[in-house]
Amino acid sequence: MTGERNRELGRWGEDVAGRRLTDAGMTVVDRNWRCEAGEVDLVLRDGDVLVFCEVKTRSSAAYGHPLEAVGAVKAQRLRRLAARWLEAHDLRPVGVRIDVVGVLLRDRGAPEVEHVRGIG
């Protein structure tokens, strides 16, 4: 898969995840926020909680389920990025949560979307 195709797939997966989370009552606050330490895919508000969400999208399960791509090291990096985002925006929310959404394309029909709350 080419780099451009991967980027398109990733953007599509972020769109799918964003719709799923807003349908669940969350509000998108920021998207694809970057700093020198990395990128946060989605920042959302879930009531009083600010949610930093990593989205992993795969076109097949040949290399494993998308959620398998987020382990302890990635979760730690997401916590650091969340702290940087909060500092950059001078916010102190009531609560902060790190979530992951895995989006897996299916041969037919709607993609499989799995949302895991509070990974770290």
Side-chain angles (χ1 to χ4, degrees):
M1 193 179 283
T2 66
E4 180 60 28
R5 181 162 152 73
N6 281 338
R7 282 186 292 279
E8 289 175 9
L9 180 64
R11 280 191 296 270
W12 177 82
E14 288 170 5
D15 289 342
V16 168
R19 281 192 302 273
R20 176 66 60 94
L21 297 174
T22 56
D23 287 351
M26 295 185 191
T27 304
V28 175
V29 175
D30 204 350
R31 184 171 172 170
N32 302 117
W33 181 81
R34 289 184 174 101
C35 68
E36 69 279 352
E39 177 182 357
V40 177
D41 294 331
L42 296 169
V43 181
L44 307 106
R45 186 165 296 283
D46 186 10
D48 290 339
V49 176
L50 207 55
V51 179
F52 294 86
C53 185
E54 177 74 7
V55 179
K56 290 295 182 187
T57 308
R58 298 286 184 266
S59 58
S60 79
Y63 296 103
H65 191 277
L67 294 177
E68 293 175 30
V70 181
V73 172
K74 180 72 170 183
Q76 184 177 32
R77 187 175 143 280
L78 291 168
R79 284 190 293 276
R80 284 193 307 268
L81 285 168
R84 296 286 296 273
W85 189 96
L86 290 167
E87 180 182 322
H89 292 82
D90 196 28
L91 289 176
R92 286 160 187 68
V94 171
V96 173
R97 189 174 77 222
I98 307 292
D99 289 4
V100 178
V101 173
V103 180
L104 180 61
L105 292 179
R106 293 291 178 198
D107 291 335
R108 293 190 176 146
E112 175 186 316
V113 181
E114 191 170 341
H115 177 204
V116 179
R117 295 170 175 258
I119 67 158

mmCIF file of all heavy atoms in Angstrom, residues 72-106:
data_model
loop_
_atom_site.group_PDB
_atom_site.id
_atom_site.type_symbol
_atom_site.label_atom_id
_atom_site.label_comp_id
_atom_site.label_asym_id
_atom_site.label_seq_id
_atom_site.Cartn_x
_atom_site.Cartn_y
_atom_site.Cartn_z
ATOM 1 N N ALA A 72 1.540 -0.366 25.209
ATOM 2 C CA ALA A 72 1.922 0.472 26.352
ATOM 3 C C ALA A 72 2.766 1.674 25.937
ATOM 4 O O ALA A 72 2.579 2.775 26.454
ATOM 5 C CB ALA A 72 2.672 -0.374 27.376
ATOM 6 N N VAL A 73 3.684 1.478 25.006
ATOM 7 C CA VAL A 73 4.550 2.588 24.570
ATOM 8 C C VAL A 73 3.725 3.661 23.878
ATOM 9 O O VAL A 73 3.886 4.861 24.147
ATOM 10 C CB VAL A 73 5.679 2.065 23.647
ATOM 11 C CG1 VAL A 73 6.458 3.204 23.028
ATOM 12 C CG2 VAL A 73 6.598 1.139 24.426
ATOM 13 N N LYS A 74 2.824 3.256 23.006
ATOM 14 C CA LYS A 74 1.964 4.213 22.305
ATOM 15 C C LYS A 74 1.044 4.925 23.296
ATOM 16 O O LYS A 74 0.830 6.135 23.195
ATOM 17 C CB LYS A 74 1.145 3.488 21.234
ATOM 18 C CG LYS A 74 0.219 4.367 20.447
ATOM 19 C CD LYS A 74 0.989 5.263 19.496
ATOM 20 C CE LYS A 74 0.036 5.949 18.538
ATOM 21 N NZ LYS A 74 0.715 6.760 17.570
ATOM 22 N N ALA A 75 0.511 4.205 24.274
ATOM 23 C CA ALA A 75 -0.360 4.819 25.283
ATOM 24 C C ALA A 75 0.400 5.869 26.077
ATOM 25 O O ALA A 75 -0.127 6.957 26.352
ATOM 26 C CB ALA A 75 -0.929 3.746 26.210
ATOM 27 N N GLN A 76 1.637 5.580 26.420
ATOM 28 C CA GLN A 76 2.461 6.551 27.152
ATOM 29 C C GLN A 76 2.699 7.797 26.293
ATOM 30 O O GLN A 76 2.630 8.920 26.778
ATOM 31 C CB GLN A 76 3.782 5.905 27.550
ATOM 32 C CG GLN A 76 4.666 6.801 28.394
ATOM 33 C CD GLN A 76 5.924 6.088 28.823
ATOM 34 O OE1 GLN A 76 6.447 5.237 28.110
ATOM 35 N NE2 GLN A 76 6.428 6.444 29.993
ATOM 36 N N ARG A 77 2.976 7.602 25.013
ATOM 37 C CA ARG A 77 3.173 8.730 24.089
ATOM 38 C C ARG A 77 1.900 9.570 23.995
ATOM 39 O O ARG A 77 1.943 10.796 23.992
ATOM 40 C CB ARG A 77 3.583 8.220 22.713
ATOM 41 C CG ARG A 77 3.971 9.312 21.752
ATOM 42 C CD ARG A 77 4.492 8.688 20.436
ATOM 43 N NE ARG A 77 4.052 9.480 19.334
ATOM 44 C CZ ARG A 77 2.862 9.464 18.763
ATOM 45 N NH1 ARG A 77 1.939 8.635 19.195
ATOM 46 N NH2 ARG A 77 2.553 10.237 17.762
ATOM 47 N N LEU A 78 0.740 8.918 23.964
ATOM 48 C CA LEU A 78 -0.529 9.640 23.901
ATOM 49 C C LEU A 78 -0.759 10.465 25.169
ATOM 50 O O LEU A 78 -1.269 11.588 25.095
ATOM 51 C CB LEU A 78 -1.684 8.667 23.678
ATOM 52 C CG LEU A 78 -1.732 8.007 22.304
ATOM 53 C CD1 LEU A 78 -2.727 6.857 22.303
ATOM 54 C CD2 LEU A 78 -2.066 9.019 21.230
ATOM 55 N N ARG A 79 -0.359 9.943 26.317
ATOM 56 C CA ARG A 79 -0.478 10.705 27.565
ATOM 57 C C ARG A 79 0.396 11.954 27.511
ATOM 58 O O ARG A 79 -0.027 13.036 27.930
ATOM 59 C CB ARG A 79 -0.108 9.837 28.775
ATOM 60 C CG ARG A 79 -1.203 8.846 29.144
ATOM 61 C CD ARG A 79 -0.932 8.177 30.487
ATOM 62 N NE ARG A 79 0.225 7.300 30.472
ATOM 63 C CZ ARG A 79 0.210 6.041 30.058
ATOM 64 N NH1 ARG A 79 -0.899 5.507 29.621
ATOM 65 N NH2 ARG A 79 1.302 5.314 30.094
ATOM 66 N N ARG A 80 1.609 11.817 26.979
ATOM 67 C CA ARG A 80 2.499 12.983 26.848
ATOM 68 C C ARG A 80 1.918 14.004 25.876
ATOM 69 O O ARG A 80 1.955 15.212 26.133
ATOM 70 C CB ARG A 80 3.890 12.548 26.392
ATOM 71 C CG ARG A 80 4.723 11.905 27.487
ATOM 72 C CD ARG A 80 6.184 11.782 27.103
ATOM 73 N NE ARG A 80 6.404 11.122 25.841
ATOM 74 C CZ ARG A 80 6.609 9.812 25.690
ATOM 75 N NH1 ARG A 80 6.614 9.021 26.744
ATOM 76 N NH2 ARG A 80 6.811 9.286 24.497
ATOM 77 N N LEU A 81 1.370 13.525 24.766
ATOM 78 C CA LEU A 81 0.760 14.440 23.786
ATOM 79 C C LEU A 81 -0.462 15.148 24.376
ATOM 80 O O LEU A 81 -0.667 16.340 24.114
ATOM 81 C CB LEU A 81 0.373 13.682 22.521
ATOM 82 C CG LEU A 81 1.527 13.300 21.599
ATOM 83 C CD1 LEU A 81 1.059 12.308 20.540
ATOM 84 C CD2 LEU A 81 2.127 14.539 20.950
ATOM 85 N N ALA A 82 -1.253 14.435 25.170
ATOM 86 C CA ALA A 82 -2.411 15.058 25.815
ATOM 87 C C ALA A 82 -1.953 16.182 26.738
ATOM 88 O O ALA A 82 -2.540 17.278 26.737
ATOM 89 C CB ALA A 82 -3.208 14.004 26.597
ATOM 90 N N ALA A 83 -0.900 15.941 27.505
ATOM 91 C CA ALA A 83 -0.371 16.981 28.397
ATOM 92 C C ALA A 83 0.112 18.189 27.595
ATOM 93 O O ALA A 83 -0.130 19.339 27.983
ATOM 94 C CB ALA A 83 0.764 16.411 29.254
ATOM 95 N N ARG A 84 0.756 17.936 26.463
ATOM 96 C CA ARG A 84 1.224 19.037 25.605
ATOM 97 C C ARG A 84 0.048 19.824 25.033
ATOM 98 O O ARG A 84 0.081 21.049 24.953
ATOM 99 C CB ARG A 84 2.087 18.492 24.460
ATOM 100 C CG ARG A 84 3.383 17.829 24.895
ATOM 101 C CD ARG A 84 4.435 18.817 25.347
ATOM 102 N NE ARG A 84 4.887 19.693 24.300
ATOM 103 C CZ ARG A 84 5.868 19.441 23.446
ATOM 104 N NH1 ARG A 84 6.522 18.296 23.527
ATOM 105 N NH2 ARG A 84 6.205 20.302 22.531
ATOM 106 N N TRP A 85 -1.004 19.119 24.597
ATOM 107 C CA TRP A 85 -2.182 19.796 24.052
ATOM 108 C C TRP A 85 -2.819 20.675 25.126
ATOM 109 O O TRP A 85 -3.173 21.822 24.869
ATOM 110 C CB TRP A 85 -3.181 18.774 23.530
ATOM 111 C CG TRP A 85 -4.318 19.378 22.770
ATOM 112 C CD1 TRP A 85 -4.408 19.525 21.412
ATOM 113 C CD2 TRP A 85 -5.543 19.911 23.312
ATOM 114 N NE1 TRP A 85 -5.599 20.130 21.085
ATOM 115 C CE2 TRP A 85 -6.311 20.384 22.225
ATOM 116 C CE3 TRP A 85 -6.048 20.047 24.594
ATOM 117 C CZ2 TRP A 85 -7.560 20.964 22.394
ATOM 118 C CZ3 TRP A 85 -7.288 20.631 24.771
ATOM 119 C CH2 TRP A 85 -8.039 21.084 23.674
ATOM 120 N N LEU A 86 -2.977 20.133 26.332
ATOM 121 C CA LEU A 86 -3.578 20.895 27.425
ATOM 122 C C LEU A 86 -2.753 22.139 27.753
ATOM 123 O O LEU A 86 -3.297 23.223 27.970
ATOM 124 C CB LEU A 86 -3.734 20.014 28.669
ATOM 125 C CG LEU A 86 -4.779 18.920 28.565
ATOM 126 C CD1 LEU A 86 -4.635 17.920 29.704
ATOM 127 C CD2 LEU A 86 -6.179 19.508 28.518
ATOM 128 N N GLU A 87 -1.440 21.977 27.759
ATOM 129 C CA GLU A 87 -0.549 23.111 28.018
ATOM 130 C C GLU A 87 -0.682 24.160 26.915
ATOM 131 O O GLU A 87 -0.795 25.358 27.194
ATOM 132 C CB GLU A 87 0.896 22.606 28.106
ATOM 133 C CG GLU A 87 1.916 23.689 28.378
ATOM 134 C CD GLU A 87 3.323 23.127 28.402
ATOM 135 O OE1 GLU A 87 3.513 22.004 28.917
ATOM 136 O OE2 GLU A 87 4.226 23.807 27.896
ATOM 137 N N ALA A 88 -0.704 23.729 25.667
ATOM 138 C CA ALA A 88 -0.794 24.653 24.530
ATOM 139 C C ALA A 88 -2.122 25.412 24.520
ATOM 140 O O ALA A 88 -2.193 26.542 24.034
ATOM 141 C CB ALA A 88 -0.617 23.893 23.214
ATOM 142 N N HIS A 89 -3.165 24.795 25.050
ATOM 143 C CA HIS A 89 -4.490 25.413 25.049
ATOM 144 C C HIS A 89 -4.870 25.999 26.413
ATOM 145 O O HIS A 89 -5.974 26.501 26.583
ATOM 146 C CB HIS A 89 -5.539 24.391 24.594
ATOM 147 C CG HIS A 89 -5.383 24.028 23.157
ATOM 148 N ND1 HIS A 89 -4.476 23.088 22.727
ATOM 149 C CD2 HIS A 89 -5.988 24.502 22.054
ATOM 150 C CE1 HIS A 89 -4.542 22.988 21.410
ATOM 151 N NE2 HIS A 89 -5.450 23.833 20.973
ATOM 152 N N ASP A 90 -3.938 25.915 27.371
ATOM 153 C CA ASP A 90 -4.121 26.464 28.713
ATOM 154 C C ASP A 90 -5.456 26.013 29.323
ATOM 155 O O ASP A 90 -6.243 26.825 29.811
ATOM 156 C CB ASP A 90 -4.020 27.990 28.698
ATOM 157 C CG ASP A 90 -3.814 28.574 30.088
ATOM 158 O OD1 ASP A 90 -3.234 27.870 30.943
ATOM 159 O OD2 ASP A 90 -4.259 29.706 30.333
ATOM 160 N N LEU A 91 -5.698 24.710 29.266
ATOM 161 C CA LEU A 91 -6.938 24.141 29.793
ATOM 162 C C LEU A 91 -6.649 23.204 30.959
ATOM 163 O O LEU A 91 -5.630 22.512 30.970
ATOM 164 C CB LEU A 91 -7.682 23.371 28.710
ATOM 165 C CG LEU A 91 -8.322 24.184 27.601
ATOM 166 C CD1 LEU A 91 -8.934 23.258 26.563
ATOM 167 C CD2 LEU A 91 -9.374 25.127 28.148
ATOM 168 N N ARG A 92 -7.558 23.186 31.896
ATOM 169 C CA ARG A 92 -7.506 22.250 33.008
ATOM 170 C C ARG A 92 -8.896 21.626 33.166
ATOM 171 O O ARG A 92 -9.678 22.064 34.001
ATOM 172 C CB ARG A 92 -7.084 22.977 34.277
ATOM 173 C CG ARG A 92 -5.597 23.303 34.240
ATOM 174 C CD ARG A 92 -5.216 24.400 35.192
ATOM 175 N NE ARG A 92 -3.854 24.839 35.059
ATOM 176 C CZ ARG A 92 -3.353 25.494 34.021
ATOM 177 N NH1 ARG A 92 -4.077 25.743 32.978
ATOM 178 N NH2 ARG A 92 -2.101 25.884 33.997
ATOM 179 N N PRO A 93 -9.183 20.631 32.346
ATOM 180 C CA PRO A 93 -10.523 20.026 32.385
ATOM 181 C C PRO A 93 -10.745 19.235 33.668
ATOM 182 O O PRO A 93 -9.797 18.884 34.374
ATOM 183 C CB PRO A 93 -10.522 19.107 31.163
ATOM 184 C CG PRO A 93 -9.093 18.764 30.960
ATOM 185 C CD PRO A 93 -8.310 19.977 31.383
ATOM 186 N N VAL A 94 -12.011 18.956 33.960
ATOM 187 C CA VAL A 94 -12.370 18.155 35.130
ATOM 188 C C VAL A 94 -11.722 16.780 35.032
ATOM 189 O O VAL A 94 -11.211 16.249 36.006
ATOM 190 C CB VAL A 94 -13.906 18.038 35.243
ATOM 191 C CG1 VAL A 94 -14.296 17.039 36.321
ATOM 192 C CG2 VAL A 94 -14.514 19.398 35.523
ATOM 193 N N GLY A 95 -11.743 16.189 33.842
ATOM 194 C CA GLY A 95 -11.156 14.875 33.644
ATOM 195 C C GLY A 95 -10.532 14.750 32.269
ATOM 196 O O GLY A 95 -10.898 15.473 31.347
ATOM 197 N N VAL A 96 -9.585 13.833 32.161
ATOM 198 C CA VAL A 96 -8.919 13.552 30.886
ATOM 199 C C VAL A 96 -8.923 12.046 30.703
ATOM 200 O O VAL A 96 -8.708 11.290 31.657
ATOM 201 C CB VAL A 96 -7.459 14.076 30.892
ATOM 202 C CG1 VAL A 96 -6.720 13.630 29.650
ATOM 203 C CG2 VAL A 96 -7.436 15.593 31.006
ATOM 204 N N ARG A 97 -9.161 11.621 29.463
ATOM 205 C CA ARG A 97 -9.194 10.190 29.162
ATOM 206 C C ARG A 97 -8.506 9.958 27.816
ATOM 207 O O ARG A 97 -8.592 10.785 26.924
ATOM 208 C CB ARG A 97 -10.649 9.740 29.097
ATOM 209 C CG ARG A 97 -10.842 8.260 29.002
ATOM 210 C CD ARG A 97 -12.309 7.879 29.083
ATOM 211 N NE ARG A 97 -12.983 8.139 27.816
ATOM 212 C CZ ARG A 97 -14.191 8.679 27.705
ATOM 213 N NH1 ARG A 97 -14.879 9.033 28.773
ATOM 214 N NH2 ARG A 97 -14.726 8.861 26.517
ATOM 215 N N ILE A 98 -7.836 8.825 27.698
ATOM 216 C CA ILE A 98 -7.214 8.410 26.437
ATOM 217 C C ILE A 98 -8.032 7.240 25.904
ATOM 218 O O ILE A 98 -8.185 6.223 26.577
ATOM 219 C CB ILE A 98 -5.752 7.957 26.625
ATOM 220 C CG1 ILE A 98 -4.917 9.001 27.356
ATOM 221 C CG2 ILE A 98 -5.143 7.577 25.275
ATOM 222 C CD1 ILE A 98 -4.666 10.264 26.604
ATOM 223 N N ASP A 99 -8.577 7.398 24.698
ATOM 224 C CA ASP A 99 -9.365 6.348 24.047
ATOM 225 C C ASP A 99 -8.688 5.925 22.753
ATOM 226 O O ASP A 99 -7.865 6.658 22.192
ATOM 227 C CB ASP A 99 -10.767 6.848 23.696
ATOM 228 C CG ASP A 99 -11.663 7.047 24.897
ATOM 229 O OD1 ASP A 99 -11.210 6.867 26.042
ATOM 230 O OD2 ASP A 99 -12.841 7.397 24.688
ATOM 231 N N VAL A 100 -9.066 4.761 22.273
ATOM 232 C CA VAL A 100 -8.609 4.273 20.968
ATOM 233 C C VAL A 100 -9.826 3.783 20.205
ATOM 234 O O VAL A 100 -10.707 3.133 20.774
ATOM 235 C CB VAL A 100 -7.601 3.113 21.107
ATOM 236 C CG1 VAL A 100 -7.188 2.597 19.741
ATOM 237 C CG2 VAL A 100 -6.380 3.538 21.890
ATOM 238 N N VAL A 101 -9.859 4.110 18.920
ATOM 239 C CA VAL A 101 -10.886 3.575 18.037
ATOM 240 C C VAL A 101 -10.186 2.790 16.938
ATOM 241 O O VAL A 101 -9.288 3.320 16.272
ATOM 242 C CB VAL A 101 -11.775 4.686 17.424
ATOM 243 C CG1 VAL A 101 -12.724 4.098 16.390
ATOM 244 C CG2 VAL A 101 -12.561 5.404 18.514
ATOM 245 N N GLY A 102 -10.574 1.543 16.775
ATOM 246 C CA GLY A 102 -10.073 0.713 15.689
ATOM 247 C C GLY A 102 -11.128 0.621 14.601
ATOM 248 O O GLY A 102 -12.296 0.362 14.899
ATOM 249 N N VAL A 103 -10.705 0.880 13.363
ATOM 250 C CA VAL A 103 -11.611 0.800 12.215
ATOM 251 C C VAL A 103 -11.043 -0.244 11.263
ATOM 252 O O VAL A 103 -9.904 -0.114 10.799
ATOM 253 C CB VAL A 103 -11.751 2.164 11.501
ATOM 254 C CG1 VAL A 103 -12.695 2.053 10.317
ATOM 255 C CG2 VAL A 103 -12.201 3.254 12.469
ATOM 256 N N LEU A 104 -11.849 -1.266 10.993
ATOM 257 C CA LEU A 104 -11.416 -2.348 10.117
ATOM 258 C C LEU A 104 -12.382 -2.445 8.945
ATOM 259 O O LEU A 104 -13.595 -2.618 9.142
ATOM 260 C CB LEU A 104 -11.376 -3.671 10.884
ATOM 261 C CG LEU A 104 -10.935 -4.912 10.125
ATOM 262 C CD1 LEU A 104 -9.509 -4.764 9.590
ATOM 263 C CD2 LEU A 104 -11.043 -6.133 11.027
ATOM 264 N N LEU A 105 -11.844 -2.302 7.742
ATOM 265 C CA LEU A 105 -12.675 -2.427 6.544
ATOM 266 C C LEU A 105 -13.102 -3.878 6.380
ATOM 267 O O LEU A 105 -12.358 -4.797 6.692
ATOM 268 C CB LEU A 105 -11.896 -2.013 5.302
ATOM 269 C CG LEU A 105 -11.530 -0.549 5.185
ATOM 270 C CD1 LEU A 105 -10.739 -0.331 3.896
ATOM 271 C CD2 LEU A 105 -12.762 0.317 5.183
ATOM 272 N N ARG A 106 -14.280 -4.054 5.885
ATOM 273 C CA ARG A 106 -14.806 -5.379 5.560
ATOM 274 C C ARG A 106 -14.951 -5.471 4.052
ATOM 275 O O ARG A 106 -15.088 -4.452 3.374
ATOM 276 C CB ARG A 106 -16.166 -5.598 6.235
ATOM 277 C CG ARG A 106 -16.080 -5.675 7.727
ATOM 278 C CD ARG A 106 -15.374 -6.953 8.093
ATOM 279 N NE ARG A 106 -15.207 -7.091 9.516
ATOM 280 C CZ ARG A 106 -14.332 -7.926 10.035
ATOM 281 N NH1 ARG A 106 -13.568 -8.668 9.280
ATOM 282 N NH2 ARG A 106 -14.220 -8.026 11.329
#
